[in-house]
Amino acid sequence: MEYNTTRNYLIMKEYGRNIQKMVEYLVTIEDDDERQRNAMAVIELMGTLNPHLRNVEDFRHKLWDHIFNISSFNLKVESPYPIPTIEKLRAKPDRLPYPKKYPRNRHFGKNLEMIIDKALHEENPDKKEGFTQCIGNYMKLAYTNWHKESVHDDAIKAELLAITDNQLEYHPGHTSHVASPASFGGGGGNVAGAGDQFRSTKRKSFQQNKFKSSNNSGGGGKGRDNNNNNKHNNKYNKNRNK
């Protein structure tokens, strides 16, 4: 009996021991034509045993790479694709160019530093003030997410001044001025009056419709009562005549 401990290492387990034995036999064939023909048959068998590879792009290219890998790159056959090498298989990938910037305030992140730099180089005072308020609001949000508690505006103001060397000052509760409808020329009063007139007209029409519906429902009730009374009187008169 042959045990696994006495067998050689199984290179690609998804193809099994028999495929590996076939590939090892291919290496021992001396005739080139016979070796090529048997290699094509083994490729077809490998594709049959692994149908999931058919959904992979260039699956036959992958099968040829696998058969060379199983043979430890000792198989000498003609491949329709570039023949891989052991150096290419074991080559290490290049190191990724990770950013080596370490933010000064890690609890706020690197994006906040970019916004602060943009605000410091902003020449328009209105945009600079808007940047400052957005930065302060974001600092409050970040502090709340980290500490799970509210923070006073003075603490955010002091920290922003310390980060920016007293160049950006956060004003708590500062909002930009938004023009009201009354400020658009002299027609503001007319607009307000038109709104009041529309609301009063709508209220009157609602009350009138409500009154009409109540009268209609009341009239219907009285009509039904009169019909019931007439039926009762007619029945009483008939019994009395008898």
Side-chain angles (χ1 to χ4, degrees):
M1 180 178 291
E2 187 179 7
Y3 294 96
N4 289 333
T5 54
T6 61
R7 296 175 178 175
N8 56 353
Y9 177 71
L10 190 60
I11 298 175
M12 301 193 72
K13 298 180 180 179
E14 58 267 27
Y15 292 105
R17 176 70 61 179
N18 293 328
I19 293 293
Q20 182 163 326
K21 287 183 176 181
M22 292 179 185
V23 176
E24 291 174 356
Y25 175 73
L26 290 176
V27 178
T28 61
I29 297 176
E30 297 181 357
D31 188 16
D32 295 339
D33 295 336
E34 185 180 357
R35 191 190 316 116
Q36 183 72 29
R37 185 173 60 255
N38 290 325
M40 297 293 294
V42 173
I43 287 290
E44 295 296 332
L45 181 59
M46 291 169 62
T48 304
L49 294 177
N50 294 273
H52 62 279
L53 291 179
R54 298 183 182 275
N55 298 327
V56 180
E57 186 178 359
D58 294 336
F59 76 100
R60 296 191 67 85
H61 189 185
K62 187 178 291 293
L63 293 177
W64 278 100
D65 291 344
H66 288 175
I67 196 173
F68 283 112
N69 187 16
I70 294 173
S71 66
S72 299
F73 304 96
N74 295 323
L75 184 61
K76 305 297 181 182
V77 292
E78 295 181 0
S79 173
Y81 306 99
I83 298 176
T85 59
I86 190 171
E87 290 79 9
K88 185 177 179 180
L89 178 64
R90 297 181 179 179
K92 294 183 179 180
D94 297 334
R95 294 181 62 88
L96 294 176
Y98 286 108
K100 296 183 179 180
K101 296 181 180 180
Y102 300 98
R104 296 186 298 271
N105 303 279
R106 296 187 178 183
H107 55 290
F108 290 134
K110 184 179 67 176
N111 293 331
L112 184 66
E113 291 187 0
M114 298 172 60
I115 299 175
I116 290 175
D117 293 338
K118 188 172 183 180
L120 293 175
H121 293 86
E122 181 62 43
E123 297 180 356
N124 191 342
D126 295 335
K127 290 184 177 181
K128 189 172 184 178
E129 183 65 25
F131 273 126
T132 305
Q133 303 310 313
C134 292
I135 291 169
N137 295 331
Y138 177 78
M139 291 172 65
K140 292 175 63 176
L141 178 62
Y143 187 94
T144 304
N145 291 337
W146 275 92
H147 299 280
K148 305 300 181 182
E149 60 183 9
S150 60
V151 59
H152 200 271
D153 293 334
D154 293 338
I156 298 297
K157 180 179 179 180
E159 189 165 4
L160 183 58
L161 288 173
I163 293 173
T164 60
D165 296 332
N166 299 327
Q167 297 185 38
L168 296 179
E169 184 177 359
Y170 173 62
H171 300 285
H174 177 76
T175 56
S176 60
H177 176 70
V178 179
S180 60
S183 63
F184 291 99
N190 296 333
V191 173
D196 295 338
Q197 184 179 1
F198 175 75
R199 285 191 291 271
S200 61
T201 305
K202 187 176 181 180
R203 189 181 300 109
K204 288 180 181 179
S205 61
F206 174 76
Q207 292 176 355
Q208 291 176 359
N209 293 332
K210 184 177 181 182
F211 179 75
K212 288 180 181 180
S213 62
S214 62
N215 289 337
N216 292 333
S217 62
K222 290 180 181 179
R224 286 192 295 270
D225 294 340
N226 293 331
N227 292 332
N228 293 332
N229 292 331
N230 292 331
K231 290 180 181 180
H232 178 73
N233 292 332
N234 293 332
K235 184 176 181 181
Y236 177 77
N237 293 329
K238 288 181 180 179
N239 294 330
R240 186 175 180 182
N241 293 329
K242 290 179 180 181

